[in-house]
Amino acid sequence: MARANRHYIPNYVWHITHRCHKKEFLLKFLKDRKRWMYWLFEAKKRFGLRILNYTVTSNHIHLLVIDNGREVIPKSIQLVAGRTAQEYNQRKKRKGAFWEDRYHATAIETDIYLIRCMMYIDLNMVRAGVVKHPCEWAMSGYNEIQNPPDRYALIDIKGLIELCGLSNKEQLRHEYKQWVEAAINDNGLRREFCWTASIAVGSRRFVEDTKVKLGLKAHGRKVEEGNDKFVLKEPIVPYNAHLSAKKDLLRHENMYCWGGKHSQRNRLAWSDPIYQPSLMYGAGLRLMECLRLRVQDIDFSRNEILVRDGKGAKDRITMLPELLKKPLQDHLRKVKAIHEKDLAEGWGRVQMPDALDRKYPNAPADWRWQWVFPQENRWKNTKTTEEGRHHMDESIMQRTVKEAVTSSGITKRASCHTFRHSFATHLLESGYDISTIQELLGHKDVKTTMIYTHVLNYGPKGVRSPIDEPKAGSYTDQSKTPAFHNNSAQHKGGK
């Protein structure tokens, strides 16, 4: 799964957000929120994590920290998130993911931008309508700023005073309380996605300096201005943080439809680069057949896709939709740039089928053998200790499609395989012969393909109910009342 980005720049302030799996309310119990705070304190003791603010809600957390070491933040989050999830699953006798995925980190400039981010964090539960003032929510840093404890403090008050440009604890307490109350009274509670979905927030100089320090990692990022601040935004890529908290990889304008081929073609518009669902529908691919495509498997000149080692260990050739050629070529140019960067860093090798890497030692680094849909993070081969990129994990698309189906209000059961069913159904409706569809789908027996002939019972050429015939007329027009109504009248009158 493509994950939320996290970057390392020494001594930067980072706003970290980490959401529960599928936005479920896994932190709804007070004991679980307390355990999260306990492990946060352990991370502070073990790794020297410098905490500036925090809030624990029912389904996600906010954390404001200073990056004072390359591994401090990752190890701290690993400890806090891992132990919290482990304890919860053990207590509930539950299995499965607790957190959505990797946390997201946004760089925040100090002074006024830091203060605004702190208020955004503390006002979270006020925006949600749970409380009217942050002092009413115990699991936030607001109360600790107002009344710093003598022992077991989480927040680095001295560091916070320095970064906010204030002089002492009393000034911090007084000024911050006024700022929070002013935000509540002035209706400043709207959600601003820049604090949670960007790479950096601050002045133009700060944001541009951050982009320079990130180097190649900031390639394609845009600096935008809005609401008295500048934002370094994430680009839209096929495997973007794949998934943001809302998992909005499939947007409404790209939503697939099982009602008809024309509506489905229109909804698979390429306003966003949604390659995998469109390939599954446009070429009749199974999910794993799509994700396991390698660069050399796509022949743009012949409009063909070679599916290797499909179901039943068979190869087959299917079509490459004309609509997808240019977007896929643009996508592969981006993937190639990533591959070349990996090669420059000494990596860039993929796993080969059937031990071909022993016969052709240089093939794993060859561009032709690279995955069309690689994962964002490098994968380590435990046998050779080499790092490369595996193909994207299938659970990403499964969860994304499930979320898209739920949000679109579709009541039928649907999954990634529904795209393949739609492919066969719509080809049959268009009049293509069953043997051609059998070959494209890779079915061994035509009886398997014959399942899709059920669609012949529907549509303008199928069997129609007599009540749907035009001659039936309207029940509201007494002169055109159907025959069975007249028969009923005759029975009542004795005629």
Side-chain angles (χ1 to χ4, degrees):
M1 174 176 184
R3 297 173 172 180
N5 287 321
R6 60 187 188 190
H7 310 284
Y8 169 71
I9 304 177
N11 300 318
Y12 260 48
V13 176
W14 296 95
H15 175 209
I16 292 172
T17 51
H18 206 183
R19 303 182 184 277
C20 293
H21 184 58
K22 295 183 180 179
K23 298 188 293 184
E24 296 177 2
F25 293 92
L26 302 179
L27 290 168
K28 62 182 178 180
F29 296 111
L30 179 62
K31 65 173 67 176
D32 295 308
R33 296 195 293 269
K34 285 185 175 180
R35 293 305 295 172
W36 185 90
M37 292 182 63
Y38 168 81
W39 288 113
L40 182 63
F41 183 77
E42 282 295 312
K44 177 182 177 182
K45 289 196 304 181
R46 296 185 189 185
F47 309 115
L49 182 67
R50 296 182 62 190
I51 304 165
L52 301 179
N53 203 4
Y54 62 89
T55 288
V56 192
T57 74
S58 299
N59 66 351
H60 69 281
I61 63 95
H62 292 268
L63 185 61
L64 198 63
V65 295
I66 302 177
D67 203 344
N68 57 334
R70 178 173 289 275
E71 297 298 326
V72 171
I73 294 177
K75 286 184 177 180
S76 298
I77 299 299
Q78 182 181 17
L79 173 68
V80 178
R83 291 300 181 89
T84 303
Q86 183 183 45
E87 291 178 354
Y88 180 88
N89 285 349
Q90 288 177 349
R91 191 178 82 249
K92 293 290 185 178
K93 297 181 181 179
R94 173 183 179 273
K95 294 182 179 180
F98 185 92
W99 300 100
E100 177 185 74
D101 187 47
R102 177 181 289 183
Y103 60 86
H104 185 277
T106 302
I108 307 295
E109 190 175 6
T110 55
D111 295 329
I112 186 62
Y113 301 102
L114 175 60
I115 294 171
R116 290 170 65 180
C117 184
M118 290 171 57
M119 291 193 295
Y120 181 83
I121 293 173
D122 283 327
L123 292 173
N124 187 286
M125 300 308 286
V126 181
R127 284 193 301 274
V130 178
V131 296
K132 294 182 179 180
H133 194 279
C135 66
E136 300 172 15
W137 186 255
M139 303 299 163
S140 74
Y142 178 84
N143 293 312
E144 188 168 333
I145 292 173
Q146 295 301 313
N147 300 291
D150 296 329
R151 299 178 62 189
Y152 307 117
L154 284 172
I155 294 179
D156 181 2
I157 296 294
K158 291 183 179 179
L160 190 58
I161 292 172
E162 180 181 350
L163 293 172
C164 291
L166 302 175
S167 56
N168 52 55
K169 292 181 182 180
E170 185 62 29
Q171 185 181 11
L172 172 65
R173 186 187 66 80
H174 180 71
E175 296 287 345
Y176 188 62
K177 182 178 180 180
Q178 287 188 334
W179 289 327
V180 169
E181 292 178 351
I184 296 174
N185 296 331
D186 296 342
N187 197 25
L189 300 177
R190 69 182 183 279
R191 184 177 181 187
E192 297 181 79
F193 291 96
C194 64
W195 299 112
T196 58
S198 304
I199 298 176
V201 179
S203 63
R204 178 186 287 275
R205 182 177 179 180
F206 171 81
V207 171
E208 290 179 348
D209 286 347
T210 303
K211 184 176 181 180
V212 172
K213 290 178 180 178
L214 289 174
L216 288 175
K217 292 182 179 180
H219 179 70
R221 273 67 169 175
K222 295 182 179 180
V223 178
E224 297 184 3
E225 181 180 5
N227 296 330
D228 302 324
K229 57 183 173 291
F230 288 84
V231 178
L232 182 60
K233 300 194 70 175
E234 293 276 15
I236 299 176
V237 294
Y239 36 94
N240 77 353
H242 256 275
L243 291 177
S244 63
K246 292 188 176 180
K247 294 188 179 66
D248 53 359
L249 187 78
L250 292 179
R251 302 176 190 273
H252 290 293
E253 61 267 25
N254 295 316
M255 198 68 66
Y256 44 85
C257 174
W258 293 267
K261 61 183 178 183
H262 300 294
S263 59
Q264 184 154 4
R265 187 183 303 129
N266 292 336
R267 294 195 183 197
L268 285 174
W270 283 89
S271 57
D272 279 336
I274 312 301
Y275 307 100
Q276 300 90 336
S278 298
L279 270 179
M280 287 187 284
Y281 170 62
L285 300 180
R286 298 178 178 89
L287 174 59
M288 293 310 299
E289 291 174 348
C290 177
L291 298 182
R292 288 174 179 166
L293 286 176
R294 299 184 188 254
V295 174
Q296 63 181 349
D297 297 337
I298 301 179
D299 190 338
F300 290 100
S301 61
R302 296 179 59 86
N303 286 4
E304 291 180 351
I305 296 177
L306 174 58
V307 179
R308 299 177 184 271
D309 196 23
K311 191 174 181 179
K314 295 181 296 183
D315 295 351
R316 75 177 190 277
I317 295 178
T318 185
M319 78 279 284
L320 171 64
E322 189 71 31
L323 180 67
L324 310 187
K325 285 180 66 174
K326 187 180 183 303
L328 270 177
Q329 288 171 336
D330 295 339
H331 165 72
L332 287 177
R333 278 193 286 270
K334 297 177 183 178
V335 175
K336 189 173 184 179
I338 296 173
H339 174 59
E340 291 174 348
K341 179 178 177 291
D342 286 346
L343 289 176
E345 295 177 358
W347 311 112
R349 298 173 66 86
V350 295
Q351 201 170 19
M352 299 291 288
D354 302 322
L356 280 177
D357 52 336
R358 291 204 298 266
K359 186 175 182 180
Y360 306 107
N362 296 325
D366 195 325
W367 165 239
R368 295 175 298 174
W369 285 99
Q370 304 304 306
W371 303 108
V372 174
F373 303 111
Q375 63 181 180
E376 183 185 20
N377 301 297
R378 291 187 183 128
W379 163 82
K380 189 171 184 178
N381 190 327
T382 55
K383 295 181 180 179
T384 63
T385 68
E386 294 177 337
E387 287 190 18
R389 292 184 191 271
H390 201 50
H391 63 70
M392 192 176 86
D393 189 79
E394 63 272 18
S395 62
I396 300 170
M397 288 309 306
Q398 291 168 343
R399 288 196 296 265
T400 304
V401 169
K402 182 179 180 181
E403 188 76 16
V405 171
T406 303
S407 62
S408 66
I410 296 175
T411 56
K412 295 182 180 180
R413 184 182 180 278
S415 65
C416 293
H417 206 66
T418 309
F419 290 110
R420 179 174 160 89
H421 291 319
S422 300
F423 168 82
T425 300
H426 295 158
L427 284 183
L428 196 59
E429 287 178 333
S430 299
Y432 290 94
D433 63 277
I434 197 73
S435 60
T436 300
I437 300 174
Q438 175 194 0
E439 183 179 352
L440 292 173
L441 291 175
H443 289 160
K444 182 178 181 180
D445 193 334
V446 72
K447 291 181 181 179
T448 307
T449 316
M450 290 292 290
I451 295 173
Y452 296 102
T453 57
H454 71 278
V455 300
L456 298 180
N457 295 326
Y458 301 94
K461 296 181 181 178
V463 178
R464 296 173 62 92
S465 169
I467 201 172
D468 292 327
E469 294 295 331
K471 65 181 180 181
S474 172
Y475 293 161
T476 59
D477 189 345
Q478 296 299 323
S479 64
K480 298 180 181 180
T481 303
F484 69 83
H485 278 217
N486 292 332
N487 291 341
S488 300
Q490 291 174 1
H491 286 304
K492 290 180 181 179
K495 297 181 180 180

